Amino acid sequence: MTTLRYRICSKTGTLLSIEITLSEKRPQSRKISADMCLAENVFISYASLTDNAMLPRGYSGISIAKRWVLAHGSILAPILLRSQNFLRLLTTLSPGHLSMMRASEQFIQDLTFFIHRSQSLKEYGKVVAIWKCPLLKETLEDSFRNWTFRYQDGFHPLLMPVFLIIKSKSPEPIGETTESNGPEKHWKFVENQRERASEAADKAKVEHVLLGLAKQLATGRLTKGAIVELVSTPFGNPFFVDSVSRGIIGNLLGTDNCLILMDLTSFPGSEGSPVFFVNDRGRRNICGMIIASLSCCRGEWVNCTFAVNLLPSLKLILQTELAKNQSRYSACTIFPFAWHGRLQIDILEKSIAIVKCGSNWGTGTLVDQQSGTFITCAHVVTMAPEAPIEIARSVMSPTGRHQWLADASLIYKTPNGKPYDIAVLRVNPKSLRSTMKAIKFAEKSARKGERILSIGFPFTSEGQPTISNGVVSKTSSYMFQTNCCVHSGVSGGPIVRRADFKMLGIIVCNVASTNDSISYPRLCIAIPITVLERPLNRYLQTADAKTLEKLTERDINVTTMWNLRPFLLSNI
């Protein structure tokens, strides 16, 4: 059961804080108030009072209550291009504060839309409230300076942390004209005196529907590896409305985990679409909104999708704006969402570390805890021994310092240009503490089509590891191919079987064009554990580094298979 707790100043009556918690008890039903509705995707297009035609290009939004829609700031790009006044408004918005749009504003006519809930049901809507999320603003400014986000034409970065509330109403015809294809109706948005409520009344209603949305958002705890579903309108084209894509949460980033990184597929125009968390029973619940479908990091195309974690943002708005009367906002009864894979993900994260060598970094996999033995890719430590090798379990602690950092010895590295691009490292076992656990090897080889996970440290050598799911696309005795989403920094990380989280192989590279102008993150090449296991076990038994020479393959057939360097890009 969702519980709302308030703290109010006894002297001034000011709301000091709001806490939303989820009970461990399982209620028998799922209820929401009569004026609320379960969140769903809607298609939004710019409206004209004298034009009933649907524009070929539109946007996605989230229906959060009857007559109320939550939209992303990207929908404002066309207005921003032609209105300096609106640009000034967005620039002066106070982050975390809910601003009401007054009808007297000179650009209010630009903030009118058609809300398409189905092919036959269309409502006319106008923007009544706008806010800028301070959590998202801070995260994007501090942690994503090397990133470029791509949107539809005219998008301004100022819009990324901006969100809107649209109030809709069924339009009424004001007359007909005869066209060659038949009579054409014209529409207007009719408001009676009662509906022309004061700004304060509108604000109270906005707070009410946002609180209802927060209740839905609080029904599940987001974790890495959890299944998520996107319902969107790709390219802003109504032909594609309600397209579905699924993936997993790869990471939770930023202040208060306000940013969700997912490996699901999305397309330009999907910004503003709802993201749903899917529980173990296949039921789904709203958790976020797409804010970026295409992005690049230091020039490398990132085949991941970013969404805002809506609950932290809404809690800030509610804490700042919510009315003091809490009696009418009674807790709703919900069916709690659960995903039981978090424990396995935690164990998997304990088996990897960041490997740094000079300006290079990658991922190291712990294969033996007692001796402190790691494996990674040879290209990650190519600058050794001139540059020292360091290993960090968890780069940034709450105090901003490394939790632990250990010097590593290079025991063996395959020669450049020779299979299998593997290096064996060793650290003082005492430095591992009890926070790391050696990964377990799979007893059976990877099978084509089976479900897998990859894990590593892409994009930056700071922060927590990111995971991606996929399947084994192709196998052989000497390499296998997956469609996990792999980027710079993941080299040396493990591929594990989804069923038991045992290691099937080590990630080496993804595919790039012959001139390295385009990389393909969804085509990942890995070394099978069957190639590595015997030499590694022999070394662990004897401590003789010469036994690792078996990791360098000289067979002409294997060399030919791995000698696809004109087509492969080994990421670091």
Side-chain angles (χ1 to χ4, degrees):
M1 179 166 57
T2 302
T3 304
L4 304 176
R5 294 187 177 92
Y6 299 82
R7 195 159 60 90
I8 300 176
C9 178
S10 58
K11 294 183 179 180
T12 64
T14 304
L15 179 71
L16 299 178
S17 66
I18 177 173
E19 180 182 355
I20 304 175
T21 58
L22 178 64
S23 170
E24 296 297 327
K25 296 181 179 180
R26 175 179 291 183
Q28 299 300 315
S29 61
R30 179 182 176 93
K31 301 177 182 178
I32 54 176
S33 59
D35 60 341
M36 303 302 292
C37 64
L38 294 178
E40 62 180 0
N41 179 62
V42 292
F43 179 72
I44 306 173
S45 64
Y46 274 95
S48 169
L49 294 179
T50 58
D51 186 2
N52 185 41
M54 181 189 297
L55 296 179
R57 193 177 193 179
Y59 304 86
S60 289
I62 306 176
S63 175
I64 57 175
K66 293 179 180 179
R67 310 302 188 196
W68 296 90
V69 171
L70 177 65
H72 183 241
S74 55
I75 199 172
L76 301 174
I79 305 172
L80 209 60
L81 283 175
R82 62 176 182 267
S83 174
Q84 289 297 316
N85 290 332
F86 198 75
L87 177 60
R88 283 192 289 271
L89 169 71
L90 292 181
T91 304
T92 57
L93 274 180
S94 177
H97 178 72
L98 191 68
S99 298
M100 303 303 294
M101 303 298 295
R102 296 186 300 273
S104 59
E105 298 283 1
Q106 56 182 329
F107 39 75
I108 195 65
Q109 292 302 318
D110 285 329
L111 301 178
T112 55
F113 304 92
F114 272 128
I115 311 297
H116 308 264
R117 298 183 186 271
S118 67
Q119 292 184 349
S120 58
L121 180 60
K122 179 166 62 175
E123 300 172 355
Y124 179 78
K126 61 180 180 180
V127 175
V128 296
I130 184 171
W131 80 88
K132 184 185 297 183
C133 175
L135 304 177
L136 199 55
K137 179 178 181 294
E138 176 184 335
T139 296
L140 293 171
E141 290 176 351
D142 293 348
S143 304
F144 287 82
R145 296 175 182 174
N146 295 323
W147 290 68
T148 302
F149 297 96
R150 300 180 182 179
Y151 291 83
Q152 296 185 20
D153 295 339
F155 180 81
H156 195 288
L158 183 66
L159 298 174
M160 283 195 71
V162 172
F163 301 90
L164 318 168
I165 293 290
I166 301 174
K167 179 182 180 181
S168 69
K169 176 181 172 62
S170 298
E172 298 184 10
I174 60 175
E176 294 184 354
T177 58
T178 302
E179 303 290 344
S180 58
N181 294 330
E184 177 74 16
K185 291 184 178 181
H186 297 278
W187 306 82
K188 69 175 180 179
F189 185 64
V190 179
E191 285 186 312
N192 57 37
Q193 188 66 31
R194 185 176 181 181
E195 289 172 326
R196 286 194 291 270
S198 66
E199 182 178 319
D202 256 352
K203 189 173 184 180
K205 184 61 179 177
V206 169
E207 291 164 354
H208 176 67
V209 298
L210 289 181
L211 181 59
L213 177 60
K215 291 177 180 180
Q216 293 186 48
L217 292 163
T219 61
R221 176 173 173 262
L222 297 185
T223 58
K224 289 183 189 178
I227 298 173
V228 282
E229 180 177 278
L230 166 65
V231 183
S232 65
T233 308
F235 309 109
N237 190 319
F239 177 80
F240 299 112
V241 69
D242 289 340
S243 296
V244 174
S245 177
R246 278 199 176 188
I248 65 169
I249 296 176
N251 217 334
L252 295 167
L253 308 170
T255 308
D256 288 348
N257 290 334
C258 67
L259 199 59
I260 307 172
L261 175 66
M262 306 168 292
D263 69 352
L264 56 76
T265 301
S266 64
F267 300 94
S270 297
E271 290 74 24
S273 304
V275 176
F276 299 93
F277 169 50
V278 182
N279 75 349
D280 289 336
R281 297 192 175 189
R283 299 186 67 176
R284 68 181 196 179
N285 198 78
I286 183 75
C287 66
M289 170 189 278
I290 300 296
I291 64 168
S293 56
L294 292 178
S295 57
C296 291
C297 179
R298 296 189 304 274
E300 179 185 354
W301 174 45
V302 176
N303 194 198
C304 294
T305 299
F306 287 93
V308 61
N309 185 358
L310 285 171
L311 185 57
S313 177
L314 288 186
K315 288 174 70 173
L316 280 181
I317 291 295
L318 294 170
Q319 180 174 319
T320 305
E321 307 292 345
L322 193 60
K324 291 182 292 183
N325 182 10
Q326 67 184 56
S327 60
R328 60 193 176 108
Y329 299 137
S330 58
C332 62
T333 303
I334 52 92
F335 190 95
F337 273 60
W339 183 74
H340 299 297
R342 178 66 222 181
L343 177 61
Q344 289 92 330
I345 296 295
D346 287 341
I347 295 173
L348 181 60
E349 289 184 346
K350 290 179 180 179
S351 68
I352 64 168
I354 293 177
V355 178
K356 298 188 71 175
C357 182
S359 59
N360 298 345
W361 88 85
T363 303
T365 303
L366 180 63
V367 295
D368 185 67
Q369 188 174 0
Q370 186 174 358
S371 62
T373 302
F374 287 80
I375 56 174
T376 188
C377 285
H379 70 261
V380 173
V381 294
T382 188
M383 300 177 69
E386 288 76 14
I389 303 173
E390 297 176 313
I391 292 183
R393 163 65 182 96
S394 181
V395 174
M396 300 302 289
S397 70
T399 61
R401 298 179 179 178
H402 297 293
Q403 287 190 357
W404 65 263
L405 191 66
D407 293 329
S409 302
L410 178 61
I411 305 301
Y412 185 78
K413 178 173 73 73
T414 53
N416 294 337
K418 289 285 186 181
Y420 288 96
D421 194 3
I422 191 80
V424 178
L425 312 176
R426 198 163 178 174
V427 301
N428 186 339
K430 295 181 180 179
S431 67
L432 297 179
R433 300 182 180 178
S434 60
T435 58
M436 293 205 73
K437 301 293 181 182
I439 200 164
K440 295 181 179 180
F441 294 169
E443 293 85 8
K444 297 181 180 180
S445 302
R447 299 188 303 273
K448 188 175 181 179
E450 72 173 312
R451 297 175 63 198
I452 54 173
L453 293 174
S454 69
I455 186 168
F457 296 89
F459 316 128
T460 176
S461 59
E462 298 179 356
Q464 298 298 315
T466 296
I467 63 175
S468 174
N469 80 148
V471 298
V472 176
S473 306
K474 187 176 180 179
T475 64
S476 75
S477 301
Y478 310 109
M479 70 163 58
F480 67 92
Q481 171 189 326
T482 84
N483 66 349
C484 290
C485 194
V486 171
H487 298 91
S488 298
V490 180
S491 295
I495 297 285
V496 300
R497 182 174 279 127
R498 186 71 187 254
D500 55 16
F501 285 75
K502 292 185 178 180
M503 182 176 175
L504 292 169
I506 181 175
I507 303 164
V508 175
C509 57
N510 59 19
V511 169
S513 58
T514 53
N515 60 2
D516 288 350
S517 61
I518 302 175
S519 64
Y520 299 93
R522 288 284 184 177
L523 211 168
C524 162
I525 306 298
I527 308 169
I529 192 60
T530 50
V531 170
L532 308 175
E533 187 172 15
R534 183 174 295 180
L536 284 174
N537 286 339
R538 186 64 176 162
Y539 166 71
L540 294 174
Q541 293 168 3
T542 64
D544 183 2
K546 291 184 178 180
T547 59
L548 296 173
E549 293 179 0
K550 294 290 185 180
L551 294 173
T552 298
E553 183 59 63
R554 293 179 171 83
D555 184 281
I556 186 63
N557 294 321
V558 179
T559 303
T560 299
M561 181 178 291
W562 275 97
N563 200 17
L564 298 173
R565 292 302 176 188
F567 306 99
L568 297 178
L569 175 65
S570 291
N571 285 328
I572 57 175

